[in-house]
Amino acid sequence: MSIPTVPVATLGVPRIGRRRELKAALESYWSGKTSAADLLEAAKKLRAANWIEQRDRGITKIPSNDFSLYDHVLDTAVMVGAIPKEYGWTGGEVPLDVYFAMARGNQGDHDSAACNHGPHANGVAALEMTKWFDTNYHYMVPELSADQTFELCSTKPLGEFREAAALGIRTRPVILGPVTFLKLAKSRGGGFNPISLLPRLITVYVQLLQQLSQAGARWVQIDEPCLALDLDPAERIGLELAYQRFSTTVPDINIMLATYFGGLGDNLETALALPVAGLHVDLVRAPEQLEPVSRLSRKDQILSLGLIDGRNVWRADLPAILDHIRPIVAGWPLDRIEIAPSCSLLHVPIDVELETGLDPDLRSWLSFSIQKMDELTLLADALGAGKDVVSKELQASAAAVQSRASSLKVHDPLVEGRLLGVTETMRHRHSDFATRQELQARKLGLPSFPTTTIGSFPQTAQVRKARADHAKGELSYIDYQSFLERETAAAVRWQEEIGLDVLVHGEFERNDMVQYFGEQLSGFAFTRHAWVQSYGSRYVRPPIIFGDVSRPRPMTVAWWQYAQSLTQKPMKGMLTGPVTILNWSFVRDDIPRNETCRQIALAIRDEVIDLEAAEAAMIQIDEAALREGLPLRKSDWKTYLDWAVDCFRLASSGVGDGTQIHTHMCYSEFNDILDAISAMDADVISIETSRSKMELLDAFRTHKYLNEIGPGVYDIHSPRVPAVGEMIDLMTLARERLSDTQLWINPDCGLKTRGWEEVRPALVNMVEAARQLRTVA
C-alpha cells in the first residue's frame, strides 16, 4: 500500500492478538506452566506484529507503548512508582509478581498465580477496578497517599520505542497524561485531592520525555481524555502547569495531545492554549467541534482529526465524512492535518476477514481495527490527492451504507408498532416497596442476612469443551443437554449442602450474560473471533445489534423450571437487563440508542412475565452496565438516566407484588446517581463493595435508601479466598451504614471466571460468616 500524502495515525491498536495469543501467554504464566521470559517474548512478538501491520497498511504515525500486559493505567502507576506499600516493592524495577499482585491480588507465598513469590505471606488484595470512562474496558484505580512520592521505575515506554526502532519502524510513544492519571486515581485515607500531587508527578514525566528525546523520539502522544470531562479550576491549572513545564524543559519533543470520548466543550479554550505541537479531537462523538477547533487553533499546530469511529464496528460513510470536513480544512496546508480514529482502536475487534460465518450483507457493513486502518488511509488519500484517486473505494463505501439503510433485515414494523403501544402503567409496580417487602417476606421466609450468589458458577474447561464439541457437532443435542443437567444438578446439591439460602442454577448453558440472550433475540448477530479486551486476560465478543429487536420465544424458563424442581429452596430466575445488553453490545448507529434499549426492554419484559407464570418467586435482572452508559458530562446525565431507568422499569414491572425483583450492578460509584437507582425500584440490589471496603454504602445511607442491598463481601476478580473474618469485618462495616433488615450477603459478582477450587472455600466461608453474624445480631 502506498504511503498517504496526509499523515495517518491509529492512536493505539488492540493488544490481544488475532487468536488471543496474549490471553494464552498470561494464563500460562499465571498457572506456572511458562516462565516470565516466555511471557515477555510472546508480548514482544505481538508488539512487532502490530507495528508491522500498521506500517504495511499505510499508517505513518505508529504508536508504541500502547501495548500492556494487563492495563495501561496500571502500567502508568508502576512507571511512576505509585505502588502501595502492602505490595512489598522497595524500589527499582518493578517485578512482574508485584505488577500482577496489584492487578489480581494473591494468596501470598502459596499463590501459584504469583509464581510463589508474593510480597506478603497472607496475600494482598488487588487494586480497585472500574470502567475506563464510558467504555466497557476496565482499568486498575491507582491509590495515592498525601505524602506520595514518585520516581521513574519503568523503562517500558523507552524500551518499546527502541524495540520498534530495531525493526526499522519509528514510532510515536503513547503516554497517559499526568492530569488524567491523577483524576482517575483514588486518595488513600481521603482528605486530599490527588491533583495536588501534580508538581511531584511532573518531574517524573519530564525525566521520561528527556529519555525518549535522547533515544531519538521526536513526537510523543500524551493522552488527556479528561479534557472531555467536567474539570474544576485546579485541574485546568494543572494542565497548564504540566504542559508549560514539558515545553520548556524538553523543547525538542513534539507533543500530540490526544483528547477523545467526547467534545472539548468548555475545556476548548484550555486545550487550545496548551503549548503542544498537535491536538487530537474526537469528531465522531462531537463532530460540531471541528469548526471552532479549526478556527481557533494556532496556525503552526497540527490537528489530528478523529474521523473514524474507534468504538463501534460499522463501516464509515467515507463520502459523507469528506463532504463534512472538506469545506473547513480546504485552505489548510496538508502538513497541518493528521487523519485518525476517534480514539484508540483498542475498543474494537481486530479483523472482519476472520468472520467467515457472518451473513454476507452484515459482513459488508462492518469495519474492525484492520479495516478502519484502510478507511483512514483512504480518507488521507482523498484529502491529499483528491477523490478521483480512490473513487472506486468511495463508491463501495457509499453502496454499503445504502444497502444497510434499506435492508429488510434491519427494520421490523411489528417491533416499531409495539413500541407505540407502551403505556405509563407498564412502567410501574402495582404497590410501593414497603407493601411488596412485607408480602415477599411472608412468601419467602428467609433468615436475616440471607445468602446467595450473583448467578453464574465456574465455566470449567469441561463445560467449555462440551459447549465447543456441541457447536462442532461432535456432541449431540441430547448428550449436551444431559451434560448440562448433570452440571446444574450438582451445583444445586452443593449449594444446598453448604447452606446457601437462595440458590442459582449456575448458568452452565450460557456462554456469556449478553450473548446468551442476544442469540435468542431477533436483530442480533454474533462473531467467532471478534474479541475485545474487558480487563487483563478477560476478553469478550460483544454482540452486534444490527436490526430491530424482539423475542421470538421464551429463553430461560425451561432451565429455571428444571433447577427449581431439584430443590425446595428459592431458585432465582436470571436475566440480563436491557441497558446492560445495550451497553455491552456494538449498537446500531442509525437509530437512537434509547429506542434500541426500549425494544430490548420489551423482549425482557416478556421473559419476566413468563418466569412468574412458571412460579418463579425471585427474578434477577442484572444491570451491571447501567452506570457505564452515563455521558461524560453531568449536564447530559439526566436524559440518559431517565430513559435507562424507564427501560429497566418497563422490563421489570409486569409482575405481581409478591415476586421479588433483584438487580446487580458492577464497579459503580452510586453516590451521584442514587436518585436513578431508587427510581429503578428493584426489591434487592447487589453491588461490588469489597475492594472499596463498603465505602459505596455511604451513598445509600446518606440517601436513606430503603430497599434491600447485597453488598459484595469478596472480590471475585481476584483468585484470593478471603477468610471468614474478612467477610465479617466487611459486613460489620455494612451494618454501620444500613439496617440489618436491608442486608444480604453475596459475592461481588458472578463466579463464571473463577475455578471451583477458589469458589468452594470462598462460599463456605461466606455462609459461615452469615451464620456467625446471625448469632450476634
Side-chain angles (χ1 to χ4, degrees), residues 111-125:
D111 181 17
S112 62
C115 296
N116 296 322
H117 297 291
H120 287 273
N122 295 323
V124 290

Side-chain angles (χ1 to χ4, degrees), residues 586-626:
F586 290 120
V587 184
R588 294 170 65 176
D589 59 358
D590 59 332
I591 64 173
R593 289 173 64 87
N594 61 353
E595 184 174 331
T596 298
C597 197
R598 277 191 282 271
Q599 293 177 2
I600 303 169
L602 285 173
I604 299 300
R605 179 186 180 90
D606 291 343
E607 190 72 13
V608 170
I609 291 171
D610 282 350
L611 280 168
E612 184 185 50
E615 301 186 357
M618 291 181 181
I619 302 170
Q620 182 169 308
I621 308 172
D622 287 344
E623 285 295 13
L626 181 94

Side-chain angles (χ1 to χ4, degrees), residues 309-597:
D309 194 342
R311 292 184 52 176
N312 212 335
V313 294
W314 300 108
R315 191 167 175 173
D317 187 342
L318 298 180
I321 291 173
L322 289 168
D323 290 344
H324 172 62
I325 66 171
R326 265 189 182 281
I328 298 175
V329 303
W332 291 0
L334 293 181
D335 62 1
R336 196 186 158 201
I337 301 172
E338 189 170 297
I339 303 300
S342 58
C343 61
S344 167
L345 297 176
L346 168 71
H347 306 286
V348 293
I350 293 176
D351 190 0
V352 169
E353 295 302 317
L354 297 174
E355 302 303 327
T356 56
L358 279 180
D359 174 89
D361 287 339
L362 174 58
R363 193 164 175 260
S364 73
W365 303 335
L366 299 176
S367 176
F368 294 175
S369 176
I370 295 297
Q371 288 71 41
K372 290 179 187 294
M373 294 182 203
D374 294 341
E375 289 179 321
L376 292 168
T377 57
L378 283 170
L379 286 174
D381 285 337
L383 282 175
K387 286 185 176 182
D388 291 345
V389 175
V390 288
S391 60
K392 182 179 178 181
E393 290 85 353
L394 294 178
Q395 289 171 9
S397 170
V401 171
Q402 179 56 38
S403 167
R404 180 181 165 212
S406 59
S407 175
L408 295 177
K409 298 173 182 177
V410 172
H411 305 287
D412 183 348
L414 294 177
V415 174
E416 296 169 7
R418 191 176 181 200
L419 281 178
L420 294 175
V422 172
T423 65
E424 187 62 25
T425 302
M426 294 170 66
R427 298 180 171 97
H428 298 278
R429 299 290 295 272
H430 302 299
S431 303
D432 61 18
F433 171 70
T435 301
R436 302 196 310 266
Q437 186 181 38
E438 184 178 349
L439 285 172
Q440 292 163 16
R442 290 201 303 266
K443 179 178 179 179
L444 296 169
L446 297 173
S448 59
F449 309 116
T451 55
T452 189
T453 64
I454 303 304
S456 59
F457 278 135
Q459 295 268 321
T460 62
Q462 186 181 18
V463 171
R464 295 194 301 271
K465 183 179 185 302
R467 183 181 299 123
D469 288 347
H470 175 59
K472 291 183 293 187
E474 297 174 2
L475 185 66
S476 71
Y477 173 81
I478 292 175
D479 289 341
Y480 183 50
Q481 291 297 107
S482 296
F483 169 81
L484 293 175
E485 288 176 0
R486 291 194 299 273
E487 292 292 308
T488 302
V492 172
R493 284 195 304 272
W494 182 75
Q495 291 174 83
E496 285 193 313
E497 288 169 5
I498 68 168
L500 281 167
D501 301 307
V502 174
L503 312 189
V504 297
H505 77 287
E507 304 180 13
F508 302 106
E509 79 284 4
R510 304 186 188 185
N511 41 23
D512 174 83
M513 66 180 291
V514 172
Q515 181 177 347
Y516 178 77
F517 292 95
E519 286 176 337
Q520 301 181 77
L521 296 170
S522 64
F524 282 75
F526 293 86
T527 60
R528 290 180 60 87
H529 306 288
W531 298 97
V532 293
Q533 186 179 24
S534 178
Y535 62 88
S537 66
R538 170 68 169 153
Y539 309 154
V540 294
R541 289 177 299 170
I544 298 171
I545 305 177
F546 69 88
D548 290 336
V549 178
S550 61
R551 187 198 73 149
R553 63 191 64 84
M555 301 179 287
T556 67
V557 176
W559 276 113
W560 177 85
Q561 289 176 315
Y562 172 71
Q564 184 64 83
S565 73
L566 303 172
T567 181
Q568 296 300 310
K569 289 191 172 184
M571 177 68 60
K572 284 193 289 187
M574 302 300 304
L575 305 174
T576 302
V579 183
T580 295
I581 291 176
L582 181 88
N583 284 335
W584 285 358
S585 299
F586 290 120
V587 184
R588 294 170 65 176
D589 59 358
D590 59 332
I591 64 173
R593 289 173 64 87
N594 61 353
E595 184 174 331
T596 298
C597 197

Side-chain angles (χ1 to χ4, degrees), residues 11 72-73 132-135 139 174-184 221-231 239 243 256-264 267 279-280 282 285 311 342-344 347 632-633:
L11 307 185
H72 58 275
V73 182
W132 171 248
F133 291 79
D134 58 350
T135 74
Y139 74 93
V174 179
I175 306 167
L176 179 62
V179 176
T180 296
F181 175 77
L182 292 174
K183 189 170 179 63
L184 297 178
Q221 174 186 317
I222 302 185
D223 289 359
E224 292 284 12
C226 69
L227 280 159
L229 302 176
D230 297 313
L231 297 181
L239 285 162
Y243 289 89
M256 173 59 72
L257 181 67
T259 70
Y260 42 81
F261 298 152
L264 290 166
N267 297 323
L279 176 66
H280 172 80
D282 183 341
R285 281 286 185 92
R311 292 184 52 176
S342 58
C343 61
S344 167
H347 306 286
L632 297 181
R633 299 292 186 137

Side-chain angles (χ1 to χ4, degrees), residues 69 123 152 161 226 258 318 325 361 366 429 575 646 655 674 745 750 758:
L69 288 174
L152 188 59
F161 175 77
C226 69
L318 298 180
I325 66 171
D361 287 339
L366 299 176
R429 299 290 295 272
L575 305 174
D646 179 80
V655 296
L674 244 299
I745 299 182
E758 302 155 0

Side-chain angles (χ1 to χ4, degrees), residues 669-679 696 699-700 703 705:
E669 295 289 346
F670 295 114
N671 57 322
D672 47 9
I673 61 166
L674 244 299
D675 286 339
I677 301 299
S678 294
L696 290 177
F700 289 89
H703 189 81
Y705 186 83

Side-chain angles (χ1 to χ4, degrees), residues 141-182:
V141 180
E143 294 187 5
L144 308 176
S145 57
D147 60 351
Q148 184 75 49
T149 59
F150 299 105
E151 60 180 285
L152 188 59
C153 301
S154 170
T155 59
K156 180 179 181 293
L158 180 65
E160 292 184 13
F161 175 77
R162 288 173 169 164
E163 201 176 290
L167 298 172
I169 300 173
R170 179 174 290 276
T171 59
R172 185 169 68 185
V174 179
I175 306 167
L176 179 62
V179 176
T180 296
F181 175 77
L182 292 174

